[in-house]
Amino acid sequence: MDFTHFMITILSGIAGTIAMTCIMYLYAVLTGKFTKVTHLLGSMLAGDENFRNPGKNSLIVGVLGHFGVGVIFSFGYFLLWNWGAFRINFQDSVLIGAASGIVAIIVWKAYFTLHNYPPKISQIHYFIALFLAHIVFGIVSVNVFQLITDNPELWYQLQDEAKVL
């Protein structure tokens, strides 16, 4: 992976994570169920028992952790593209997002089960929101990657900038 692909992969992971986070928060607003992923992740990692209104440090941990995992997922997608496991198109982005959602549900269920003080939330609603949000993550991250790489002017500009660094 060259520097340009590295940066595009990070950018697509960040864009996907922003979209996913918006879906999780929108789900919380529409249903009245608590699905604010950065609040939950940050409070659980930092040991903050007030997950509905965690402290500043817990929120920072949650945001960094959430975006870090989003970028890791994006790098996983990049590897899968290069191995020919799926194509960079809308249909495959929905499928890879759904697969990511299933992985995320398994990981979160294990985390809730193993955590000393898991938050008391509706896990079924959290998992529904998580699954839907990962489909959006897949769509956004794959298509951001495609948009950047399919735009010849931006692509050449990024290549030139990567050579300078």
Side-chain angles (χ1 to χ4, degrees), residues 5-18:
H5 284 110
F6 179 78
M7 293 307 296
I8 292 170
T9 303
I10 289 174
L11 179 63
S12 67
I14 290 170
T17 305
I18 290 169

Side-chain angles (χ1 to χ4, degrees), residues 85-158:
F86 74 96
R87 293 169 299 181
I88 301 176
N89 61 33
F90 183 79
Q91 295 83 1
D92 283 2
S93 69
V94 171
L95 293 175
I96 196 73
S100 299
I102 292 168
V103 169
I105 289 168
I106 292 168
V107 169
W108 271 99
K109 180 62 178 169
Y111 193 36
F112 285 142
T113 302
L114 297 172
H115 198 273
N116 290 335
Y117 304 103
K120 292 178 179 24
I121 61 167
S122 170
Q123 288 187 13
I124 189 70
H125 279 281
Y126 188 74
F127 295 147
I128 290 168
L130 196 62
F131 183 74
L132 295 173
H134 274 86
I135 292 173
V136 171
F137 175 88
I139 292 167
V140 170
S141 64
V142 168
N143 287 289
V144 164
F145 190 93
Q146 181 186 36
L147 286 171
I148 293 172
T149 57
D150 281 354
N151 179 346
E153 292 174 17
L154 181 57
W155 178 246
Y156 292 125
Q157 180 185 355
L158 287 171

Side-chain angles (χ1 to χ4, degrees), residues 41-108:
L41 182 60
S43 63
M44 289 175 74
L45 288 173
D48 188 342
E49 292 182 28
N50 186 4
F51 66 91
R52 290 189 185 274
N53 191 20
K56 182 179 175 183
N57 289 339
S58 296
L59 282 175
I60 290 170
V61 167
V63 168
L64 292 176
H66 185 54
F67 277 85
V69 170
V71 169
I72 290 169
F73 267 88
S74 187
F75 276 104
Y77 291 2
F78 182 84
L79 290 174
L80 291 171
W81 298 323
N82 284 289
W83 294 337
F86 74 96
R87 293 169 299 181
I88 301 176
N89 61 33
F90 183 79
Q91 295 83 1
D92 283 2
S93 69
V94 171
L95 293 175
I96 196 73
S100 299
I102 292 168
V103 169
I105 289 168
I106 292 168
V107 169
W108 271 99

